[in-house]
Amino acid sequence: MAFNPMNMMKIKGALTQFSGNHPKFVAFLRDTFATGIPADSIIELTVTKPGANPVTTNIKITQSDLELLEQIKELSR
């Protein structure tokens, strides 16, 4: 699989903008994932749209999830 350098630059720019827009969220992710997320951890996400009730979901992290994330991390190097 070949990566287009221009697409990678666009993604990098978008991530930089996201970090600037949401520094507390980025710090939360960095701090949370820095120590590793072991299998059987639960990640919960709530979305509250304007004028709507919150919607919440969660996932229980499996070993295969961790392996996929490791593969993605290796691709980004």
Side-chain angles (χ1 to χ4, degrees), residues 5 8-9 17-18 27 29-30 32 42-43 59 69-70 73 76:
M8 294 300 286
M9 289 177 64
Q17 182 177 3
F18 184 86
L29 291 176
R30 183 184 60 243
T32 301
I42 296 174
I43 296 175
I59 61 170
L69 292 173
E70 189 61 35
K73 190 175 6 174
S76 67

Side-chain angles (χ1 to χ4, degrees), residues 32-33 35-39 41-43 61 66:
T32 301
F33 287 92
T35 57
I37 301 292
S41 295
I42 296 174
I43 296 175
I61 302 298
L66 296 173

Side-chain angles (χ1 to χ4, degrees), residues 57-73:
T57 190
N58 63 58
I59 61 170
K60 187 173 188 176
I61 302 298
T62 65
Q63 187 59 41
S64 65
D65 297 331
L66 296 173
E67 291 166 7
L68 173 63
L69 292 173
E70 189 61 35
Q71 290 173 358
I72 292 170
K73 190 175 6 174

